[in-house]
Amino acid sequence: MTVTTDDISTITETVFQSVLEWEVRPSAADPGDIRPERSIAGSVQIHGAWEGAVTLSIPDGLARMAARKLFGIDPDEGSMADVHDALAELTNMICGNLKAVLPGPSTLSMPTVADGSSLVLRIPGSEVAHSAVFECHGHQVNVTVLRRIDVGHSND
């Protein structure tokens, strides 16, 4: 059993709507497209009966908007730490909800956040199980579920 693209879509849409009151819509963009703009990416590892990770990647501008919305910060007051915290929280919420549809029991790691231009997160020993691209406020949002392949799991 694994997560489906429909699971990713439903959960991502629900988290963005309930936490930020933002609509995200599925996009026809290729999840592998690398944007030259600065982006922020979060990752949460899943350990247990199912091994893998969930990543969330969004452009810096959208991440800053999320931090302002999530923490009620004025545009000039937010720090990069606030932006990282907001992305970590969103990634954790999406991963926690996806964990519920995976075989258990399992636990989640603390979120890891990185930022940079043309940023691509890779997790050694993992392969993409499913990836979905969304559009939110004119920005691309990528959610990827990675399945660990070096622990004897099948490719189902």
Side-chain angles (χ1 to χ4, degrees):
M1 173 190 233
T2 189
V3 170
T4 67
T5 303
D6 286 342
D7 294 329
I8 295 170
S9 293
T10 300
I11 289 167
T12 302
E13 291 169 14
T14 300
V15 167
F16 272 68
Q17 179 60 47
S18 64
V19 175
L20 299 171
E21 298 176 339
W22 290 353
E23 180 182 342
V24 294
R25 293 181 315 277
S27 171
D30 182 342
D33 285 347
I34 297 174
R35 300 276 175 111
E37 62 191 314
R38 184 171 177 78
S39 60
I40 313 289
S43 175
V44 174
Q45 307 282 320
I46 302 171
H47 301 285
W50 190 90
E51 297 274 333
V54 174
T55 66
L56 169 65
S57 179
I58 63 176
D60 179 75
L62 188 62
R64 289 178 185 278
M65 289 171 54
R68 288 192 296 267
K69 179 76 172 174
L70 194 59
F71 303 129
I73 302 168
D74 288 330
D76 297 331
E77 294 180 10
S79 69
M80 202 59 189
D82 294 324
V83 175
H84 285 190
D85 287 348
L87 193 73
E89 188 60 31
L90 291 170
T91 307
N92 198 50
M93 287 181 204
I94 291 169
C95 186
N97 282 282
L98 287 169
K99 180 186 103 162
V101 300
L102 292 167
S106 59
T107 60
L108 302 181
S109 71
M110 295 295 292
T112 302
V113 177
D115 63 82
S117 296
S118 300
L119 183 66
V120 176
L121 276 183
R122 287 191 171 64
I123 300 176
S126 296
E127 66 182 2
V128 174
H130 287 283
S131 190
V133 181
F134 304 91
E135 185 178 307
C136 181
H137 291 293
H139 297 280
Q140 184 173 315
V141 174
N142 295 307
V143 177
T144 303
V145 176
L146 300 153
R147 175 183 40 241
R148 189 151 172 203
I149 57 174
D150 59 354
V151 292
H153 290 285
S154 66
N155 291 336
D156 58 347

